[in-house]
Amino acid sequence: MLYFIGLGLGDAKDITVKGLETIRKCSRVYLEAYTSILTVGKEALEEYYGRELILADRDMVEQEADGILKGADVRFWIPNWKVVGSKPRATTHSDLVLRAVKAGVQHRVIHNASIMNAVGCCGLQLYSFGETVSIVFWTDTWKPESFYDKIRKNRASGMHTLCLLDIKVKEQSLENLMRGRKIYEPPRYMSVKQAAQQLLEIVHNRREQREELAITEDTICVGLARVGAENQKICTGTLTEMALADLGPPLHSLIITGDMHPLEIDMLRLFALDQATFHNLKLTDSSTYTS
């Protein structure tokens, strides 16, 4: 049996009872260590769960999947940050499931909280979210804007957009990759500030092209950091304000709001960087606001 066990969003104690019971009965436990991070280290997890963890980086998961699947009693332990609903999120997770099915190995998911539902902590209603997007780090020669077009689609329907921000773990420089050298760059985690700055640049570019804008500098946004941890932080304000905000250590997420119910507005005011920002919202009908 191959288990995918969600760890939750905060520390070692966020594991579910079912997940903990399963881990303590397993023969091997792999800690997936590249699609997300937790607020505690591997050693703290091992101490709390009473089990040795095998660190599973990208190379292991992608290139040694057959070894992971060997044996009838395997547990693959996945931090549940950015896990969609009740199943593993990353393509490598899906690949592992497909390999297991092909090899005749049964699999099971043990659920936990994820950023996909925990974003409700800011006060926006979950059923008012549209398609989730990922914002990636730009380079000097690569500046994709496809996520902006998805935000446009959501905004046209009055929906909020959850933006998952880029994580670079165990990445190689182009030179080291071409030379086949296993030398890795320091980990990088995109901040709300960086994501907002990239979005502002897109707004500027689209305005120069005389395109109708999906968002502007004054669009209301929500910045979230370390959701589920003791030092969780939420702030709300305009896109311009987000581009100046410092939410501290990772992981961060950004929400671009759509039409908002008055109760949503009241909740966002609790986390406002500047209360004056919320006095300028326009009433679109009897029940929703827009920015």
Side-chain angles (χ1 to χ4, degrees), residues 5-6 17 26 38 68 101 106 118 122 135-136 155 169 203 211 218 232 234-235 241 246 269-270 291:
I5 303 174
V17 173
C26 73
L38 286 175
I68 293 175
V101 171
Q106 294 182 325
C122 72
I135 298 182
V136 299
R155 293 266 296 176
V169 179
V203 168
E211 182 179 308
D218 296 326
Q232 169 181 299
I234 304 170
C235 65
E241 289 173 329
D246 181 4
R269 281 197 181 101
L270 299 178
S291 59

Side-chain angles (χ1 to χ4, degrees), residues 138 145 148 196-211 213 215-217 239:
W138 281 353
E145 299 184 359
Y148 173 86
Q197 289 171 346
Q198 289 187 186
L199 282 167
L200 285 174
E201 186 171 336
I202 294 175
V203 168
H204 176 74
N205 294 340
R206 300 292 176 109
R207 182 177 285 123
E208 283 194 335
Q209 298 168 13
R210 300 185 181 278
E211 182 179 308
L213 297 176
I215 59 176
T216 71
E217 294 86 349
L239 184 60

Side-chain angles (χ1 to χ4, degrees), residues 40-55:
V40 294
K42 172 175 174 284
E43 294 76 16
L45 296 175
E46 289 178 325
E47 180 180 358
Y48 186 78
Y49 297 117
R51 291 304 312 272
E52 180 182 355
L53 306 180
I54 303 169
L55 206 59

Side-chain angles (χ1 to χ4, degrees), residues 5-231:
I5 303 174
L7 295 187
L9 295 170
D11 57 29
K13 294 182 180 180
D14 278 358
I15 191 75
T16 64
V17 173
K18 183 181 293 184
L20 180 58
E21 290 175 346
T22 303
I23 285 169
R24 287 177 172 170
K25 292 187 295 185
C26 73
S27 59
R28 283 179 284 151
V29 181
Y30 293 86
L31 175 63
E32 191 267 81
Y34 67 91
T35 63
S36 185
I37 61 170
L38 286 175
T39 58
V40 294
K42 172 175 174 284
E43 294 76 16
L45 296 175
E46 289 178 325
E47 180 180 358
Y48 186 78
Y49 297 117
R51 291 304 312 272
E52 180 182 355
L53 306 180
I54 303 169
L55 206 59
D57 60 17
R58 182 185 296 272
D59 288 343
M60 174 181 284
V61 179
E62 293 182 350
Q63 300 174 21
E64 302 176 24
D66 292 340
I68 293 175
L69 293 174
K70 260 184 189 175
D73 190 24
V74 179
R75 310 294 189 260
F76 193 61
W77 197 4
I78 301 178
N80 229 14
W81 188 273
K82 299 183 191 168
V83 173
V84 182
S86 62
K87 60 184 180 181
R89 166 197 67 84
T91 53
T92 46
H93 303 160
S94 298
D95 178 68
L96 196 57
V97 168
L98 294 173
R99 286 173 180 264
V101 171
K102 186 175 181 179
V105 176
Q106 294 182 325
H107 71 277
R108 182 181 176 191
V109 177
I110 297 179
H111 310 299
N112 207 315
S114 80
I115 191 62
M116 302 296 290
N117 50 45
V119 291
C121 65
C122 72
L124 294 176
Q125 297 166 2
L126 291 179
Y127 57 77
S128 294
F129 279 79
E131 181 178 358
T132 299
V133 306
S134 295
I135 298 182
V136 299
F137 279 113
W138 281 353
T139 68
D140 292 338
T141 58
W142 187 63
K143 296 186 176 184
E145 299 184 359
S146 57
F147 52 85
Y148 173 86
D149 296 316
K150 293 179 180 180
I151 294 171
R152 172 194 295 279
K153 182 179 178 182
N154 286 341
R155 293 266 296 176
S157 301
M159 309 299 282
H160 311 313
T161 305
L162 171 61
C163 304
L164 306 178
L165 308 187
D166 203 2
I167 297 174
K168 297 291 187 186
V169 179
K170 209 172 182 181
E171 296 280 333
Q172 294 174 274
S173 67
L174 181 59
E175 179 183 355
N176 286 327
L177 189 62
M178 293 178 65
R179 293 178 179 272
R181 297 186 297 210
K182 294 289 186 179
I183 301 174
Y184 301 100
E185 301 295 299
R188 291 191 298 149
Y189 307 96
M190 182 179 284
S191 67
V192 163
K193 181 177 182 179
Q194 291 170 309
Q197 289 171 346
Q198 289 187 186
L199 282 167
L200 285 174
E201 186 171 336
I202 294 175
V203 168
H204 176 74
N205 294 340
R206 300 292 176 109
R207 182 177 285 123
E208 283 194 335
Q209 298 168 13
R210 300 185 181 278
E211 182 179 308
E212 184 179 354
L213 297 176
I215 59 176
T216 71
E217 294 86 349
D218 296 326
T219 297
I220 298 296
C221 303
V222 182
L224 306 104
R226 302 171 301 284
V227 173
E230 291 288 337
N231 61 346

